[in-house]
Amino acid sequence: MKLITEFVRLSGECTAEGTFRVVFRSLGKEFPRQVLEEACPNARTGKRLMRHRYGRIAMQTSFPSSPPHATEEERNRTFRKVAWRILPFATVVYIFAWLDRVNVGFAKLTMLSDLGWSDAVYGAGAGIFFWGYFLFEVPSNLLLQKIGAPKTIMRIALGWGVVSVLMAWCSQPWHFYVLRFLQGAFEAGLHPGLILYLTFWLPAHRRSKAIAVFMSASPIALLMGSPLAAYIMTSMDGVWGHADWQWLFIIEGIPSIILGLFAVFAMTAKPSDAKWLSADEKAQIAYELKQEAEASGEREHKLSQALRSRAVWILILTLFCIITGNATLSFYGPSLVTAAGIDDLKTVGWIMSGIFLFGWAGMMVNGWLSDRNRESRWHTACAAAIGATGLILAALAQNAGSSTGVIAALAISAAGTMGSIPVFWSLPPRFMSGTALAGGVAVINSIANLAGYFAPQFLGAIKTATGAYSTGLFIIAGVELIAVLLILLCIQADRESAPDGIATPGPAKSH
């Protein structure tokens, strides 16, 4: 028996496909099942005995559901260690990216009157950011795959930080347009780059919560940034001959430059480069990533092929509709509150902080629910529907002259719209991998974020033409509801599951 057991152990070594097969002649006797347990004690149960027509017996079982000597709890501990190491810096960088992106919404409150600009000028300038984003996002993400995340994040943060500071010296509309375009060009690649970066470290069933954590930086930035912007603008106006909005750009731009210089020391490109991981921990990470790749089946690896996929364009249009609602909250939130009759800057700051607190809660709760239920389609669609409903209620409250109603409705919209975005990003890896995923995520994000150009410009034009925001809010809510229909009608339901608690997304098909 010992000889047979040793033969099984040596000849039945598990293959890369996760299967194990031993074939031998029975010699007139049935092969004892206990041999397999002794030879491969970590193998999963549910073995299948198959009799072949030539008197041979084959025994097949799955690959051990965990790497040798690693329990599920040990793997969980390893990934918690990874999360605590890579997420804090990514989150801080994303917070300052959002501060520098949307502080223009607060600067607008005094900047327009100081410079004599209209809402249409502001809307065009706020939105042109996304054309720079659109043009440079894919090259940035492809470059990240070649040179790594640390150097890419350094380049991005340094560039947008410098441009943010230069915004303080805008005096003509074309200054505003050029600098906003450059800010978008430099920041391009940050969001899809961080999404791609997480795929180097975390398998799909661990990514939704991680994405929710770093993407919660956007509501955190708005939550913290609103009262901070109000404080800077009320306390620094006139200091050294600069206006309040100028100080806002200067003070909030400098930390991004510092973070850029620090990025190459704070980030690790990939698990194999991590000196803070043991060999066993690296093996556990590699194991789960390999299991995900094998379970996902055939996916597009070439960017050119992915761009011809109907599913990818559905994802682009879906995110475009969601971002339309999100950009409205980010760029016109303070203006919507002031239009409801609240004029004090500090009060507006704290109100917006509370609204974006709901956005943060929506991200965290929906990300947690998605991972717990191993489902992303309905979680994205329902959250987007809540966001659209909030915008409709805000328009109705504006027409009724209810400031409380406007604030409550914006909080509902923030929770739903912002809560849908992290879970949405678990969908693209169903269809793409490798270079296609690196470029595809960037393409989806860059094209969809053009909504950030059209939404502020559209709402600004509607306000200039009608004197109110309500008509524009109704239309933008309708656009966000289109995202709900696209998800439910065009993206196939897919419940993610895998042995031993390892959930990996299958290749969903669109119909």
Side-chain angles (χ1 to χ4, degrees), residues 222-305:
L222 295 165
L223 187 156
M224 295 168 36
S226 297
L228 176 61
Y231 175 78
I232 291 171
M233 292 178 71
T234 54
S235 61
M236 297 296 289
D237 188 28
V239 175
W240 293 349
H242 293 308
D244 49 8
W245 59 271
Q246 291 178 299
W247 278 113
L248 179 62
F249 288 128
I250 294 169
I251 291 174
E252 292 192 351
I254 291 173
S256 298
I257 299 173
I258 297 172
L259 284 172
L261 295 172
F262 190 60
V264 290
F265 304 104
M267 301 183 74
T268 306
K270 53 186 183 295
S272 59
D273 295 338
K275 296 179 180 179
W276 42 272
L277 288 174
S278 68
D280 284 346
E281 289 169 335
K282 292 178 182 178
Q284 292 164 26
I285 295 169
Y287 171 81
E288 289 209 7
L289 292 175
K290 187 176 183 180
Q291 289 287 295
E292 176 191 10
E294 291 170 357
S296 294
E298 291 296 323
R299 295 174 292 173
E300 296 293 355
H301 290 265
K302 294 182 179 179
L303 179 58
S304 58
Q305 293 175 345

Side-chain angles (χ1 to χ4, degrees), residues 74-408:
E74 287 172 332
R75 296 198 311 273
N76 290 339
R77 197 158 48 239
T78 295
F79 282 102
R80 281 195 296 270
K81 179 178 180 179
V82 167
W84 277 107
R85 183 63 182 243
I86 69 175
L87 288 178
F89 186 77
T91 303
V92 171
V93 169
Y94 208 58
I95 285 174
F96 279 96
W98 266 88
L99 280 177
D100 291 338
R101 182 192 297 192
V102 302
N103 57 14
V104 69
F106 258 91
K108 167 186 179 288
L109 299 177
T110 58
M111 183 182 184
L112 296 194
S113 58
D114 285 356
L115 299 177
W117 296 351
S118 67
D119 268 280
V121 170
Y122 167 76
I128 204 171
F129 168 95
F130 292 98
W131 282 106
Y133 215 81
F134 168 72
L135 293 172
F136 290 93
E137 195 161 8
V138 174
S140 177
N141 230 33
L142 294 176
L143 184 63
L144 182 149
Q145 199 175 31
K146 290 184 178 180
I147 68 173
K151 293 178 182 178
T152 300
I153 299 304
M154 177 186 70
R155 171 186 58 79
I156 288 172
L158 283 174
W160 96 60
V162 169
V163 171
S164 295
V165 172
L166 292 176
M167 289 277 291
W169 286 275
C170 284
S171 60
Q172 300 294 327
W174 72 268
H175 296 166
F176 186 47
Y177 299 154
V178 169
L179 288 175
R180 285 291 292 178
F181 177 85
L182 289 175
Q183 191 174 26
F186 279 116
E187 192 185 320
L190 177 65
H191 172 78
L194 290 176
I195 296 286
L196 180 63
Y197 181 56
L198 291 181
T199 68
F200 299 159
W201 293 87
L202 303 172
H205 71 289
R206 300 182 187 272
R207 270 202 301 271
S208 286
K209 284 185 289 187
I211 292 172
V213 167
F214 95 76
M215 285 194 65
S216 69
S218 58
I220 289 174
L222 295 165
L223 187 156
M224 295 168 36
S226 297
L228 176 61
Y231 175 78
I232 291 171
M233 292 178 71
T234 54
S235 61
M236 297 296 289
D237 188 28
V239 175
W240 293 349
H242 293 308
D244 49 8
W245 59 271
Q246 291 178 299
W247 278 113
L248 179 62
F249 288 128
I250 294 169
I251 291 174
E252 292 192 351
I254 291 173
S256 298
I257 299 173
I258 297 172
L259 284 172
L261 295 172
F262 190 60
V264 290
F265 304 104
M267 301 183 74
T268 306
K270 53 186 183 295
S272 59
D273 295 338
K275 296 179 180 179
W276 42 272
L277 288 174
S278 68
D280 284 346
E281 289 169 335
K282 292 178 182 178
Q284 292 164 26
I285 295 169
Y287 171 81
E288 289 209 7
L289 292 175
K290 187 176 183 180
Q291 289 287 295
E292 176 191 10
E294 291 170 357
S296 294
E298 291 296 323
R299 295 174 292 173
E300 296 293 355
H301 290 265
K302 294 182 179 179
L303 179 58
S304 58
Q305 293 175 345
L307 292 180
R308 292 195 292 268
S309 166
R310 174 175 173 263
V312 170
W313 286 99
I314 289 171
L315 291 173
I316 289 170
L317 185 54
T318 299
L319 186 60
F320 182 95
C321 295
I322 294 172
I323 295 297
T324 299
N326 192 57
T328 300
L329 294 168
S330 300
F331 292 114
Y332 269 92
S335 297
L336 291 170
V337 172
T338 55
I342 300 170
D343 298 322
D344 180 68
L345 273 178
K346 287 185 178 179
T347 304
V348 171
W350 284 110
I351 288 172
M352 291 307 303
S353 179
I355 288 170
F356 291 122
L357 178 62
F358 276 82
W360 173 83
M363 279 188 169
M364 301 307 296
V365 171
N366 203 34
W368 176 77
L369 288 173
S370 176
D371 273 2
R372 189 190 70 168
N373 297 323
R374 295 174 183 173
E375 197 282 335
S376 51
R377 177 172 163 266
W378 276 100
H379 286 79
T380 306
C382 290
I386 292 170
T389 302
L391 291 178
I392 293 171
L393 294 175
L396 293 173
Q398 282 235 324
N399 288 340
S402 170
S403 58
T404 302
V406 169
I407 294 167

Side-chain angles (χ1 to χ4, degrees), residues 127 130-131 134 311-328 380 384 391 417 420-421 424-425 441 443-458 475-484 486-487 491:
F130 292 98
W131 282 106
F134 168 72
V312 170
W313 286 99
I314 289 171
L315 291 173
I316 289 170
L317 185 54
T318 299
L319 186 60
F320 182 95
C321 295
I322 294 172
I323 295 297
T324 299
N326 192 57
T328 300
T380 306
L391 291 178
T417 301
S420 69
I421 297 173
F424 168 87
W425 285 109
V441 167
V443 168
I444 292 169
N445 197 58
S446 62
I447 297 176
N449 268 281
L450 288 178
Y453 170 76
F454 292 110
Q457 186 152 305
F458 170 77
I475 296 172
I476 289 171
V479 171
E480 192 165 1
L481 286 173
I482 292 173
V484 178
L486 286 170
I487 293 167
I491 298 178

